[in-house]
């Protein structure tokens, strides 16, 4: 079994072999951008490059970015613990092109990494392509469609609307059409009953998006209009925890080695079993997720407090405590520490 550490390193090594510079994760708490409180996507640290305000040190980059999604447009807080794939803090594996390569290479390399390096079954994979938007005056992404036809049969390529296949960091800023890669983890019997293409983007825990290839072409202005960016860029993001679930043969991110050690410790401290009942499962997932988010936040310099970003971190901490006291009351004989 690939460990989480090995999975992350294979991603970085692969893109380094394709001429990308490995860059460190930016801090999770944003201090120099009034439009963002937390890093919520891998592209945040490259925002000024996409806008043409800064010259990149390298035209190709790759990283594993710590992200926090608990407020604003991208907010997963209430879903955490109730399914196996959402988190407050997560890692986003990404590769970036700043005016260098574009859709053809991004799609080809994504396919190569997933199927040749990670050895994922090609028949389980689906790709979505932006169908265009009359509202924005944008066309169907024929370039991405033609690139995917070289790797996937047409019944594994699905048209997606603006909601699913046009990525935006916020109400303003760099944005563009995207092409998502989904995987069907259901049994052969279930797949025979309902094909995977009918399950994509239906919020099914076993037919999930694992990688989003964003083709940064536009800047969304304050009046809602789109203007072309100075250069066409690539911004991809693959959910590290979901990838670990796929490659480790699990049905939940919380069953991977990213979280299993914490959950075992929570079992020990509470005297409860993870699979004791549905409520203990949710509670332990919430606590494991939130502890991880809080620890990385503190490591990045943001302590829980009463104001701004610190208040959000405090809120996450209080939520973890509430789930513990409500659903994991200390049992007689359990360690009292």
């Amino acid at each position: 079994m690939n460990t989480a550490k090995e999975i992350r390193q294979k991603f970085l090594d692969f893109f380094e072999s394709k001429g990308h510079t490995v860059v460190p994760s930016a801090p999770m708490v944003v201090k120099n951008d009034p439009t963002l409180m937390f890093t919520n996507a891998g592209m945040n640290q490259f925002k000024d490059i996409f806008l043409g305000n800064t010259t990149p040190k390298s035209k190709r980059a790759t990283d594993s970015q710590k992200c926090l999604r608990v407020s604003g447009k991208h907010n997963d807080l209430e879903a955490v613990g109730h399914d196996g794939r959402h988190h407050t803090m997560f890692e986003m594996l990404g590769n970036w092109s700043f005016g260098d390569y574009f859709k053809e290479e991004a799609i080809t390399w994504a396919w190569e990494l997933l199927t040749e390096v990670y050895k994922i079954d090609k028949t389980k994979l689906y790709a979505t392509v932006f169908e265009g938007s009359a509202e924005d005056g944008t066309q169907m992404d024929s370039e991405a469609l033609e690139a995917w036809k070289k790797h996937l049969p047409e019944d594994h390529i699905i048209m997606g609307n603006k909601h699913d296949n046009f990525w935006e960091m916020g109400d303003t800023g760099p944005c563009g059409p995207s092409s998502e890669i989904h995987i069907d983890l259901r049994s052969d019997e279930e797949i025979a009953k309902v094909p995977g293409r009918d399950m994509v983007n239906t919020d099914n825990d076993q037919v999930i998006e694992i990688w989003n290839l964003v083709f940064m072409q536009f800047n969304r202005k304050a009046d809602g209009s789109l203007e072309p960016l100075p250069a066409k860029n690539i911004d991809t993001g693959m959910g590290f925890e979901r990838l670990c679930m796929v490659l480790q043969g699990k049905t939940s991110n919380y069953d991977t080695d990213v979280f299993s050690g914490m959950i075992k410790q929570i079992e020990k401290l509470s005297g409860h079993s993870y699979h004791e009942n549905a409520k203990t499962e949710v509670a332990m997932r919430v606590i494991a997720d939130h502890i991880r988010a809080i620890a990385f936040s503190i490591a990045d310099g943001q302590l829980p407090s009463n104001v701004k970003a610190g208040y959000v971190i405090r809120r996450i901490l209080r939520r973890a405590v509430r789930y513990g006291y409500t659903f994991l009351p200390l049992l007689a004989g359990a360690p009292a520490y």
Side-chain angles (χ1 to χ4, degrees):
M1 180 185 79
N2 285 315
T3 65
K5 184 177 180 180
E6 290 168 342
I7 290 168
R8 184 192 298 108
Q9 195 59 49
K10 282 184 179 181
F11 182 93
L12 298 174
D13 290 347
F14 175 82
F15 281 104
E16 189 173 32
S17 77
K18 303 296 185 184
H20 293 63
T21 300
V22 179
V23 298
S25 173
M28 212 159 57
V29 181
V30 179
K31 299 295 187 184
N32 58 354
D33 186 342
T35 69
L36 280 176
M37 185 176 290
F38 299 104
T39 296
N40 64 5
M43 64 80 60
N44 293 164
Q45 68 167 306
F46 305 117
K47 181 179 175 182
D48 282 341
I49 296 175
F50 288 134
L51 289 172
N53 299 330
T54 303
T55 302
K57 295 178 181 178
S58 171
K59 283 189 171 290
R60 300 181 182 184
T62 186
D63 67 353
S64 181
Q65 174 65 53
K66 302 185 298 293
C67 300
L68 195 68
R69 290 188 176 177
V70 290
S71 60
K73 179 176 180 176
H74 300 287
N75 184 356
D76 294 332
L77 181 61
E78 294 307 319
V80 171
H82 294 277
D83 64 25
R85 67 188 192 281
H86 284 100
H87 304 288
T88 47
M89 177 258 164
F90 63 96
E91 286 187 62
M92 187 73 86
L93 301 172
N95 59 288
W96 317 87
S97 169
F98 310 117
D100 188 8
Y101 64 85
F102 205 41
K103 297 177 185 179
E104 175 77 30
E105 294 89 341
I107 288 170
T108 298
W109 288 337
W111 184 256
E112 180 183 346
L113 177 63
L114 292 176
T115 63
E116 296 182 25
V117 177
Y118 289 134
K119 307 294 185 185
I120 292 174
D121 184 349
K122 298 175 183 179
T123 67
K124 305 286 188 181
L125 296 173
Y126 292 83
T128 61
V129 172
F130 181 51
E131 66 184 9
S133 168
E135 179 186 6
D136 286 334
T138 49
Q139 304 298 312
M140 189 268 284
D141 194 348
S142 57
E143 188 179 348
L145 176 61
E146 292 305 313
W148 275 119
K149 284 181 179 179
K150 297 177 182 178
H151 307 291
L152 285 168
E154 289 197 41
D155 65 343
H156 279 237
I157 304 172
I158 302 159
M159 292 294 113
N161 58 25
K162 179 181 174 180
H163 177 267
D164 292 324
N165 283 95
F166 194 90
W167 196 91
E168 304 190 56
M169 180 179 66
D171 294 330
T172 61
C175 55
S178 70
S179 189
E180 298 173 343
I181 302 172
H182 295 250
I183 186 166
D184 189 348
L185 301 173
R186 297 173 301 150
S187 67
D188 291 340
E189 291 77 16
E190 290 177 291
I191 292 171
K193 294 176 184 176
V194 183
R197 64 172 293 112
D198 295 340
M199 301 298 294
V200 167
N201 283 328
T202 61
D203 207 32
N204 185 291
D205 264 356
Q206 297 303 299
V207 185
I208 58 171
E209 175 199 341
I210 54 171
W211 204 347
N212 194 12
L213 315 180
V214 179
F215 313 123
M216 288 286 191
Q217 298 175 236
F218 304 107
N219 177 41
R220 177 78 70 181
K221 298 170 70 175
D223 64 3
S225 64
L226 296 174
E227 64 178 3
L229 288 171
K232 293 180 178 179
N233 306 296
I234 290 295
D235 158 14
T236 87
M238 177 150 59
F240 171 65
E241 296 82 4
R242 293 186 184 190
L243 180 63
C244 289
M245 179 186 76
V246 171
L247 297 180
Q248 293 179 7
K250 306 298 184 181
T251 57
S252 164
N253 295 356
Y254 294 96
D255 294 334
T256 69
D257 63 344
V258 177
F259 291 98
S260 58
M262 279 192 289
I263 288 175
K264 285 179 182 176
Q265 187 65 12
I266 294 166
E267 286 182 310
K268 178 181 175 183
L269 293 174
S270 69
H272 289 272
S273 167
Y274 176 42
H275 297 298
E276 187 174 306
N277 57 58
K279 290 181 178 179
T280 60
E281 287 186 5
V282 170
M284 289 191 190
R285 288 197 293 262
V286 167
I287 294 168
D289 171 275
H290 289 7
I291 287 173
R292 182 169 176 249
I294 295 160
F296 275 98
S297 170
I298 293 172
D300 276 354
Q302 182 60 65
L303 292 168
S305 71
N306 294 330
V307 295
K308 298 182 180 179
Y311 178 74
V312 177
I313 302 304
R314 182 185 176 199
R315 188 170 144 231
I316 295 171
L317 175 58
R318 291 172 67 181
R319 192 169 186 267
V321 171
R322 175 165 58 84
Y323 269 85
Y325 273 101
T326 304
F327 301 113
L328 302 176
L330 196 64
L331 295 179
Y337 57 86

